[in-house]
Amino acid sequence: MFVSIAKLLREQGEPFELSGEIDMSGRELFGYSLSGAVAYDLVATPHPAMVQLLLGIHARVEGECGRCLAPVSLEVDFEDEFRARPEDLADEFSELPFTQDGRLDVAELVYQELLLEIPSVLLCREDCPGLCQQCGKLKLDCRCKTEPEGDPRLQVLR
């Protein structure tokens, strides 16, 4: 799905609204997966010499806890605002994904913003103790009483 930003800049008409869902099951999410499609709302409002874009995204991300490997499901719900100017349409380094004819690739924008919003490490809870380095069980469940020796050069830091 594409939105003609060049046309909105030229005609200065009414705000343009677009909403829907995007299936991103085949896209790389750095070890995470999406539960269902990604819902989005986009409002493009023309102003003199620019178009203001308001993008809202809702998705459910699933993965493993970065400390204990338990399954984690995280609701990602956020809004972001952009401004598109005529000079951005031809700029290959623009933060917005435009085609050569001045259309905004909405699916690519949603994907890029979702990648930026997903935490690099998912946790089942903030205070997750993680796994014991000796026995591999949850630290709350293990009976290991000793700390692993570790590197003797780092002993001074203990």
Side-chain angles (χ1 to χ4, degrees):
M1 69 231 48
F2 296 90
V3 174
S4 179
I5 300 299
K7 183 179 177 182
L8 286 170
L9 284 166
R10 251 189 338 267
E11 296 178 3
Q12 293 292 308
E14 293 296 312
F16 177 79
E17 295 183 23
L18 181 67
S19 61
E21 293 184 341
I22 302 172
D23 178 21
M24 292 192 182
S25 56
R27 303 292 298 257
E28 174 61 42
L29 289 173
F30 306 109
Y32 303 135
S33 63
L34 292 169
S35 174
V38 177
Y40 71 92
D41 294 303
L42 177 70
V43 178
T45 307
H47 295 282
M50 71 140 191
V51 173
Q52 179 184 13
L53 301 165
L54 183 60
L55 176 68
I57 297 176
H58 177 77
R60 179 182 288 278
V61 178
E62 296 183 352
E64 294 178 336
C65 176
R67 293 183 187 155
C68 72
L69 305 178
V72 177
S73 182
L74 174 69
E75 290 283 333
V76 178
D77 199 7
F78 65 97
E79 286 188 351
D80 211 345
E81 185 178 329
F82 305 93
R83 287 174 175 59
R85 294 173 180 78
E87 58 269 16
D88 296 335
L89 302 179
D91 184 3
E92 67 178 296
F93 300 110
S94 172
E95 72 175 318
L96 298 171
F98 292 113
T99 62
Q100 292 180 348
D101 59 348
R103 295 184 308 153
L104 175 68
D105 185 343
V106 177
E108 184 61 26
L109 179 61
V110 168
Y111 174 67
Q112 290 175 2
E113 292 304 305
L114 187 60
L115 282 179
L116 293 173
E117 194 66 27
I118 297 174
S120 58
V121 177
L122 290 178
L123 297 176
C124 60
R125 59 180 204 259
E126 261 323 294
D127 61 343
C128 175
L131 300 174
C132 174
Q133 294 178 2
Q134 289 182 328
C135 68
K137 294 181 182 177
L138 286 173
K139 285 186 179 178
L140 297 174
D141 297 337
C142 88
R143 301 199 184 276
C144 300
K145 299 291 185 208
T146 61
E147 286 289 317
E149 286 294 320
D151 190 334
R153 294 173 294 178
L154 299 177
Q155 190 65 22
V156 105
L157 297 175
R158 291 182 185 218

